[in-house]
Amino acid sequence: MFSSGVSGPAKLQAVTTLVNKLTEDLKSKSLSPEERDKALEELKVYGRDPRNADPIFTEEGIETLTKHAFDSSSETTSRNALRVLCNAMLLKPETRQRFVDLGYEFKACEKLKNDNWDDEFLATRVIFFSTYGTSVDLSKLIDEYQLADSIVKNLSRHATRISEHAKNKTKADPMELMALGETLRLLFNVTSKCPSKTDSFTAAVPHIVTLLLSLDIPPKGTPPLEAPLGPLVNATMNLKLDDEETRSCLYPKDAPSSLTEKLITLLDLSLKAYSDQELDATVTPLVCLISSIYEYAPADSPVCDTIRKSLLPSEEERTKVLGKGDTLPGRLLVSMTNPIAPEFARAVSHLLFNVSDKDAHKFVENIGYGYASGFLFQNNIPIPEGLGGDDEKGESSKAGQSSKRAVNPITGQFLDAETFPDMPEMTMEEKEREAERLFVLFERAKKLGIVNSNPVEQAVQGGRFEELPDDYEEDSD
């Protein structure tokens, strides 16, 4: 294996010589297959560091690599050139448009049809880089060069192979998993940047589900959404999950909750494994997928019950103020107000609102007004009436099972489990100041539209406030 030991002007001269040699070879076939592959191998090593490797990234350099990659009759030469090309497109964004200008995207799509992990990985990577900052016509690649069909076919191949590995308890080839990861990233990018063609990829959903169910959850100490599990989840973000054929694989008759349970396990592990800074980019798609699975579940499916039981606070948790425990529901509630991960917080709020059947009253009942109020206000959803009234205490509700124990509608805690600090009773002067403060706070909330009326004002109008004379003195024991 070639190892570069040169730098500076010497490296630049070596790279220039190699690019010139490979360019001339395209015209005159001056190199033997061995010499050609050796030159590409050396160029790959030099190209890992773009300093003093400028000839690789020029228009002439990219054209030379592209033609060796897609016009060569030798599979070895083609793959060697593709490796250098991929690295160039990774390191220097301007090379991506240079590749597109050559019009070789269709040949990359053709190479995707090869039943070979290396070809799939390399060709997919070239197309993937072409989706960033270029004029590539993705619709044309889908309609005329079967890009969607090739992606779906490759995912089918992966699903078959990996399910066999799971059945036989054998390990997949690392190159196979790398190829799968690249295909999934390309699927996500294409469906994001060309939404009009999303339906062309719907057939990928059953294969994605098979892969999600077949792949093991990573061992402890390994990020739970490490590739390919994370890319599998991300790949579903733009796909149609409410299609009839899609629903049959999301909720299989023999084990309708199997996928849901796997995703909830991944969510539980992810909340423990990832920092707040990682939640938005890494875990948000998982929350969105669970939310979609709940929303599109058939009416008679046990999936909804499984999600409610897993994500909503249990009666045991209601013996304390909600969000204080280390359970999955508790961590989700805390995440709703996480300022460091706003996208994740929004996704969790929408998920719990969906699980509450998009009913504001159920939402408050399930998680407490303290957590629900921000989401309801931000989404212009009317606040349920009757919260906090003495005659309208909430009742706990989880997974369709209600408890007759009264619940504090603000904290979600059972009223009979509430504890209060042992403090001396307030003086009348303190009570008066507190009433005035509450009156002002509720007036502000009323102006903002958070509440419809001021309960302090109502109490005064209802005769529940007594005006005391200035010379009033409290009785002392």
Side-chain angles (χ1 to χ4, degrees):
M1 172 124 2
F2 173 77
S3 176
S4 171
V6 297
S7 59
K11 175 183 172 181
L12 179 59
Q13 181 58 49
V15 171
T16 302
T17 300
L18 287 169
V19 171
N20 289 340
K21 188 187 296 185
L22 288 165
T23 302
E24 179 60 32
D25 181 59
L26 289 171
K27 304 171 185 174
S28 61
K29 302 295 181 186
S30 54
L31 299 175
S32 68
E34 294 77 14
E35 290 173 329
R36 189 178 300 115
D37 292 334
K38 182 174 180 291
L40 287 166
E41 176 64 32
E42 291 179 14
L43 206 58
K44 180 183 74 174
V45 176
Y46 284 127
R48 288 171 181 163
D49 182 347
R51 290 174 296 182
N52 297 297
D54 297 337
I56 294 175
F57 310 106
T58 62
E59 289 184 16
E60 182 185 41
I62 295 302
E63 182 176 1
T64 295
L65 292 172
T66 299
K67 289 183 175 179
H68 278 294
F70 294 104
D71 292 342
S72 175
S73 59
S74 166
E75 291 181 350
T76 303
T77 297
S78 171
R79 290 167 192 156
N80 284 336
L82 276 169
R83 291 185 181 98
V84 187
L85 180 61
C86 285
N87 198 51
M89 296 175 77
L90 170 65
L91 295 174
K92 296 283 188 177
E94 63 269 23
T95 61
R96 300 166 190 174
Q97 184 61 52
R98 288 171 188 164
F99 169 77
V100 171
D101 289 341
L102 293 170
Y104 271 70
E105 315 97 295
F106 74 95
K107 287 200 172 184
C109 290
E110 285 299 312
K111 198 169 277 290
L112 280 183
K113 298 175 183 179
N114 295 349
D115 187 1
N116 178 276
W117 304 132
D118 287 280
D119 284 346
E120 179 186 350
F121 174 80
L122 293 166
T124 299
R125 201 160 172 77
V126 167
I127 301 171
F128 175 77
F129 286 133
S130 299
T131 64
Y132 287 104
T134 75
S135 58
V136 67
D137 188 343
L138 292 174
S139 293
K140 186 175 181 180
L141 295 186
I142 293 168
D143 293 337
E144 298 183 22
Y145 300 110
Q146 299 81 50
L147 175 60
D149 295 339
S150 295
I151 288 176
V152 171
K153 186 175 181 180
N154 285 338
L155 287 175
S156 173
R157 188 160 51 99
H158 284 293
T160 300
R161 289 289 297 274
I162 288 179
S163 59
E164 287 175 358
H165 287 309
K167 190 182 301 182
N168 300 326
K169 297 184 177 179
T170 56
K171 288 189 175 182
D173 185 314
M175 194 66 227
E176 177 181 355
L177 295 178
M178 289 174 66
L180 170 60
E182 287 303 312
T183 295
L184 292 167
R185 291 184 184 95
L186 178 60
L187 169 58
F188 175 78
N189 261 31
V190 174
T191 53
S192 296
K193 295 175 181 294
C194 190
S196 62
K197 296 295 180 182
T198 298
D199 287 356
S200 302
F201 296 90
T202 303
V205 175
H207 308 311
I208 291 173
V209 171
T210 298
L211 287 162
L212 281 168
L213 291 173
S214 299
L215 287 163
D216 291 331
I217 290 176
K220 190 175 181 181
T222 304
L225 293 175
E226 185 179 64
L229 283 174
L232 278 166
V233 172
N234 296 348
T236 67
M237 289 299 93
N238 306 311
L239 300 180
K240 285 183 64 177
L241 300 182
D242 56 346
D243 182 84
E244 191 60 39
E245 184 179 346
T246 298
R247 286 164 57 131
S248 65
C249 71
L250 291 174
Y251 319 99
K253 289 184 178 180
D254 55 338
S257 297
S258 54
L259 176 62
T260 303
E261 290 169 355
K262 179 95 173 253
L263 296 176
I264 289 173
T265 299
L266 284 171
L267 178 59
D268 191 22
L269 294 172
S270 296
L271 285 177
K272 298 174 184 176
Y274 294 105
S275 67
D276 287 348
Q277 291 79 3
E278 296 173 297
L279 292 175
D280 270 359
T282 308
V283 192
T284 299
L286 177 58
V287 174
C288 294
L289 177 55
I290 295 172
S291 188
S292 294
I293 287 176
Y294 183 91
E295 185 171 353
Y296 301 136
D300 58 347
S301 173
V303 166
C304 293
D305 193 47
T306 297
I307 294 176
R308 283 193 294 265
K309 284 181 178 178
S310 301
L311 303 187
L312 294 179
S314 64
E315 295 207 355
E316 182 181 351
E317 289 176 85
R318 291 183 183 277
T319 59
K320 298 178 181 178
V321 174
L322 293 184
K324 298 297 183 183
D326 193 36
T327 62
L328 175 57
R331 291 195 299 274
L332 287 174
L333 290 179
V334 172
S335 297
M336 290 177 67
T337 55
N338 188 341
I340 300 175
E343 293 300 322
F344 181 71
R346 275 191 286 272
V348 170
S349 298
H350 279 281
L351 168 61
L352 295 180
F353 188 62
N354 278 355
V355 172
S356 302
D357 299 326
K358 298 183 179 179
D359 182 301
H361 195 279
K362 285 184 182 179
F363 187 46
V364 172
E365 188 179 87
N366 284 333
I367 69 172
Y369 181 72
Y371 287 109
S373 57
F375 174 83
L376 296 176
F377 180 67
Q378 290 168 6
N379 291 276
N380 297 316
I381 300 172
I383 306 298
E385 296 181 2
L387 292 179
D390 292 337
D391 58 344
E392 293 192 46
K393 296 291 192 295
E395 293 181 352
S396 71
S397 173
K398 181 179 185 289
Q401 300 173 353
S402 62
S403 168
K404 296 303 180 183
R405 294 173 68 181
V407 170
N408 183 322
I410 305 300
T411 66
Q413 183 181 14
F414 286 130
L415 288 177
D416 58 19
E418 289 183 324
T419 58
F420 302 95
D422 187 14
M423 297 175 63
E425 186 177 350
M426 295 171 69
T427 65
M428 291 306 299
E429 186 178 342
E430 288 172 332
K431 291 178 181 178
E432 186 175 333
R433 283 200 303 268
E434 186 66 16
E436 289 174 353
R437 189 178 71 85
L438 286 173
F439 181 86
V440 171
L441 288 175
F442 275 110
E443 280 297 298
R444 290 175 181 170
K446 189 167 70 170
K447 289 179 180 178
L448 291 171
I450 299 174
V451 297
N452 296 323
S453 60
N454 187 333
V456 179
E457 184 180 25
Q458 289 178 338
V460 172
Q461 293 172 351
R464 285 183 283 172
F465 267 62
E466 180 184 359
E467 186 73 29
L468 299 175
D470 293 337
D471 59 351
Y472 174 83
E473 294 183 5
E474 294 184 72
D475 293 333
S476 56
D477 295 332

